[in-house]
Every structure is written in C-alpha cells, then in structure tokens.
Amino acid sequence: MDINWLRDFVCLGRTLNFTRAAEERNITQSAFSRRIKSLEAWIGVPLIDRASYPVQLSEAGRQFLPVAQQTVADLTDTRQAIRERARGHASFQRFAALHAISVNFLQPRMAALEREYPEMRTRVISDSLTACCQLLSEGGCEFLLYYRHQDVAPILDETRFKRKDICEERLIPVAQHEAAARNGWSLPPRAGQELPYLSYDPNTFLGTVVDQTIGNRRPALDLRYMDALAEALKRRTLAGAGLAWLPEFSIRQELADGTLVRLGGRDWTATMTISLFCSPERLDNLGRTIWDQF
C-alpha cells in the first residue's frame, strides 16, 4: 500500500475525472490510472465504474472513499503531532491560502492575533487553489482561506467543512498612471488600439475569474506577459508594462496615491468573497478561539 494511492483515489472521488485528477496530483494520466488500478488490486475489487460516462465510483468505491479520506487525514495529523512533540513546541495553527490572500489579507490578521495571543505559533502554506484545498481535505492544515466567485465552481467539497465568509475582495483592472496617460490606454481600448495585457495563468482561479469578467466582450487586448501570481503581475503593472486585474487589497495604497489608475467602469471589476474553512474536530482550544475571532 502506498499512501499516494489513497490521495489519488480521494482526488478522483472528488473530481470524477481522470484527466483533471491527474493534473491536480501533478502526474501523467497514465501513471495516475496505474496507481488507481494498483489500489483496486490491493482492495481486491473495482473501485471505479469505468463503463459509465462521466466516471462514477462503484458501490465499493463509495464505501471506501470516506475511509480513504479519514485515513489520509489521520496519518497527516499523527505525523504533524509527532513532529511537533519532537521539536518540543506547542502545536502550530496551520493555514493554507492562495498567495494573494496570504500576502495581502492574512499577514495583517496574523499580526493582530499574535499580539492578542503571544503563545500562538502559525504556519502559513501559500500555494495554488488546488494544493490548498487538498491540504485541508487531507488534514494538512486546520484552516483554509480562499476566494469564492459565483461563476466559478468550487473544487473543494465544502459540505465536509465549516465555512465563514469573511469579506469581499475585488479584482480591479488597473495600469500605471503615467503609462496609461502617455499611451491613452482605456478599457475597452479605443478603435484601432490594442491594450498591452498582463494575464494570470488561465489555469489559476484568478485567471478563470478574469476570463469570466471579460466574457464575450473580447476587447482588443495584446497579451504581453503571463504569471500565476498576483504579486508578479503587480510588479509588471507598476513598471508600466500594461493592464492587469489586481486584488484591491494589494493595491489600495497605489490607488490612493495615484500610482495606479483604474481602467474601465465598474462592470469590468470582479467581486469575490474571501472565505475561511476549517475542520472543527481538528482544532485545539486556541484553534477554536482563532476560528471565533474571524
């Protein structure tokens, strides 16, 4: 038995799609399929009904899925507890968060909580949405912070966790003030003009939200730069390289002092919700207090 087989199966049980699950597990689809078959050989019965489309779990698969989920979570929790005892430290409060949320929203909140609870020790894992959701699902963290948007389906089985909607965050199309004025940039661009565009990787959550916001309007955007991280796009925008949709929390100062200017009307702005998730049964006393503080 390889614990990765269980992680693979949990991922497939959530996505019900071999291609998507293999991408989330960062392996080839053929390797992913072999590992699922290895798990089925170990169990002794098929866990997947491959005759149906889309793929469905077999009756045995449906019975085994919660066992696999709990086993992965228990192993992760136990490993973490052993490591913390070996280090001689109090337990860490572990947060998984998208990079943009970690830098621009979570850090100030953590600073305030640490002043109130000086005994608190925190570990923040900043990663992609898929990786963060996987951490919570597998017990690799107590808390998950991520964006939610009405037009983007969640990849997390939210019914398994408690959720608090913390606040709204907006993705605003902006450009560096001097570059926008010098080049006459506007959104949508003027007739005959192409606006240099700094884009998120299309496979990221923020990239999907921006695509949904642009929709069928298809303005004349000339793609110049692509990155998965909002902070990288912010640096390029501040350098005058073009237009980018940036989280409001990250650019409040630059908007206030005029370094960055908004392009387009409010219909070009996307509104998201920052939500906090947790597994209550994994929280210690301090963890429950932190949950209440949010």
Side-chain angles (χ1 to χ4, degrees):
M1 164 60 71
D2 184 336
I3 190 174
N4 282 317
W5 299 352
L6 296 180
R7 292 192 172 108
D8 293 343
F9 179 64
V10 169
C11 186
L12 183 59
R14 174 173 53 78
T15 62
L16 297 177
N17 185 297
F18 273 86
T19 301
R20 181 177 171 188
E23 289 175 352
E24 291 190 12
R25 295 290 293 145
N26 198 31
I27 59 174
T28 65
Q29 185 172 339
S30 59
F32 183 88
S33 297
R34 285 196 299 271
R35 297 205 314 206
I36 293 296
K37 288 180 180 178
S38 295
L39 178 62
E40 290 176 313
W42 185 84
I43 295 289
V45 295
L47 300 174
I48 309 298
D49 180 4
R50 292 174 173 81
S52 62
Y53 183 83
V55 168
Q56 298 294 324
L57 299 184
S58 67
E59 178 61 30
R62 290 192 292 272
Q63 293 178 359
F64 185 64
L65 180 59
V67 176
Q69 292 169 332
Q70 190 61 49
T71 300
V72 171
D74 288 345
L75 285 170
T76 304
D77 286 346
T78 301
R79 180 186 64 181
Q80 184 67 19
I82 290 172
R83 286 178 174 178
E84 288 167 356
R85 282 198 295 271
R87 296 187 187 112
H89 293 317
S91 63
F92 278 71
Q93 305 299 325
R94 297 170 298 172
F95 287 79
L98 295 178
H99 292 91
I101 295 177
S102 174
V103 172
N104 301 302
F105 174 79
L106 184 58
Q107 297 303 324
R109 296 298 295 268
M110 287 296 98
L113 284 169
E114 287 166 359
R115 288 192 294 270
E116 188 167 355
Y117 305 101
E119 75 278 15
M120 185 173 76
R121 292 175 171 84
T122 308
R123 181 186 178 193
V124 177
I125 306 108
S126 301
D127 212 319
S128 67
L129 178 60
T130 297
C132 289
C133 291
Q134 184 175 321
L135 278 168
L136 183 67
S137 297
E138 296 180 357
C141 64
E142 285 72 47
F143 301 100
L144 165 67
L145 275 163
Y146 78 3
Y147 293 126
R148 300 173 75 247
H149 187 272
Q150 61 182 2
D151 295 327
V152 182
I155 65 172
L156 179 73
D157 182 1
E158 297 184 356
T159 62
R160 294 178 53 203
F161 308 100
K162 278 194 172 182
R163 185 187 98 209
K164 284 185 177 181
D165 292 335
I166 306 301
C167 63
E168 287 190 345
E169 167 73 297
R170 296 187 297 169
L171 272 180
I172 302 175
V174 295
Q176 199 262 354
H177 178 269
E178 292 182 0
R182 181 173 62 252
N183 296 290
W185 291 340
S186 62
L187 186 66
R190 300 193 311 268
Q193 181 189 51
E194 283 194 330
L195 184 57
Y197 177 39
L198 315 175
S199 169
Y200 295 99
D201 187 300
N203 295 319
T204 63
F205 178 83
L206 294 182
T208 302
V209 172
V210 172
D211 286 345
Q212 293 281 359
T213 303
I214 294 173
N216 295 324
R217 291 178 285 187
R218 298 181 182 176
L221 300 178
D222 179 16
L223 180 60
R224 299 285 186 87
Y225 180 79
M226 184 181 294
D227 203 301
L229 300 182
E231 286 300 305
L233 294 186
K234 177 181 175 180
R235 288 178 180 270
R236 295 293 297 149
T237 306
L238 288 170
L243 157 79
W245 269 262
L246 297 177
E248 185 176 18
F249 278 125
S250 73
I251 56 173
R252 280 179 170 172
Q253 183 59 48
E254 289 81 4
L255 287 174
D257 63 24
T259 305
L260 294 177
V261 293
R262 179 198 298 264
L263 298 184
R266 293 192 177 276
D267 59 325
W268 292 97
T269 294
T271 300
M272 305 175 295
T273 301
I274 296 180
S275 297
L276 177 68
F277 293 83
C278 80
S279 295
E281 67 276 5
R282 293 201 186 104
L283 301 184
D284 57 17
N285 289 335
L286 181 56
R288 286 188 286 272
T289 299
I290 292 171
W291 172 257
D292 292 338
Q293 289 290 333
F294 272 89

